[in-house]
Amino acid sequence: MTFSELYQPLSTEQEARAKQIKLLICDIDGVFSDGRIYLGNQGEELKAFHTKDGFGIKALIHSGIEVAVITGRKSHIVESRMKSLTVKHIYQGQENKRLAYQELKNSLSLSDNEIAYIGDDSPDIPVMEQVGFAVATNDAHPLVIKLAHYRTLNRGGFGAVRELTDLLMLCQNKSLTTFGTSA
């Protein structure tokens, strides 16, 4: 089964970029979530995460590709969710995402071409300009879409991350069905 059979056709360039990826970096708000932040009367913050995205992240890690998140906000919810998915590299409260990106890239001894990033808005642009495979969610800001090498069919919070994990795994000839734990 190919990615094109499941989602949409890929160009030769997109496939070549995806084959090189050893690290996927994700934004959170607007990528893992739909971008909305729910605040309760007691000041509690709520976010919704899609289990399909979670399964994709766990499968990607299981297949040998590292995963990280870089987000501008700080949230116990994000910390908890990412740890439950076994994401080791969690950068929160990052006003300058490029600094976190450089630290992560250096600590893992990777080149830009070996890194993919999925984002949805202006704070993601500095990192997207550097990585080998820049991905925009379907509902990303037009500036992000224009910059991206690939635009997902799915919106942020509704399977965009899973679509990207499937893309990376299929382009690297890794099975989507060999990992069977819940997310």
Side-chain angles (χ1 to χ4, degrees):
M1 182 165 312
T2 67
F3 182 81
S4 298
E5 292 172 317
L6 294 175
Y7 294 96
Q8 62 182 324
L10 290 176
S11 71
T12 305
E13 178 192 349
Q14 289 169 323
E15 194 169 335
R17 288 177 181 276
K19 284 181 180 180
Q20 297 181 64
I21 301 306
K22 295 181 180 177
L23 168 66
L24 169 61
I25 304 173
C26 303
D27 179 32
I28 295 291
D29 295 319
V31 173
F32 263 103
S33 74
D34 64 9
R36 294 183 288 178
I37 299 167
Y38 299 90
L39 299 174
N41 287 331
Q42 312 307 318
E44 67 272 18
E45 183 177 305
L46 302 173
K47 297 177 190 258
F49 298 101
H50 205 295
T51 58
K52 287 181 185 174
D53 292 336
F55 184 85
I57 290 297
K58 288 180 95 171
L60 194 66
I61 291 169
H62 183 73
S63 79
I65 296 175
E66 292 272 353
V67 175
V69 296
I70 301 176
T71 181
R73 296 176 49 84
K74 283 188 177 183
S75 167
H76 293 292
I77 297 167
V78 169
E79 187 84 17
S80 176
R81 179 63 175 148
M82 291 305 115
K83 284 184 176 181
S84 75
L85 298 176
T86 70
V87 174
K88 296 180 207 169
H89 312 285
I90 304 167
Y91 292 81
Q92 294 197 73
Q94 302 296 312
E95 288 185 32
N96 183 341
K97 292 184 178 190
R98 186 175 274 165
L99 293 176
Y101 171 75
Q102 285 301 131
E103 180 182 315
L104 185 57
K105 180 176 97 166
N106 292 341
S107 73
L108 295 174
S109 300
L110 296 173
S111 69
D112 291 329
N113 288 342
E114 296 173 310
I115 303 171
Y117 184 94
I118 181 169
D120 72 307
D121 213 339
S122 299
D124 302 311
I125 290 174
V127 176
M128 291 178 76
E129 289 175 330
Q130 284 192 249
V131 298
F133 193 39
V135 178
T137 59
N138 183 278
D139 56 342
H141 188 279
L143 291 174
V144 173
I145 292 169
K146 184 174 182 167
L147 175 66
H149 301 114
Y150 177 80
R151 179 182 182 184
T152 65
L153 288 174
N154 293 302
R155 296 180 299 139
F158 293 94
V161 172
R162 176 60 182 272
E163 180 179 336
L164 178 54
T165 62
D166 286 356
L167 187 158
L168 295 174
M169 291 174 65
L170 288 170
C171 285
Q172 294 183 22
N173 297 315
K174 298 176 182 194
S175 173
L176 300 181
T177 59
T178 58
F179 182 71
T181 189
S182 64

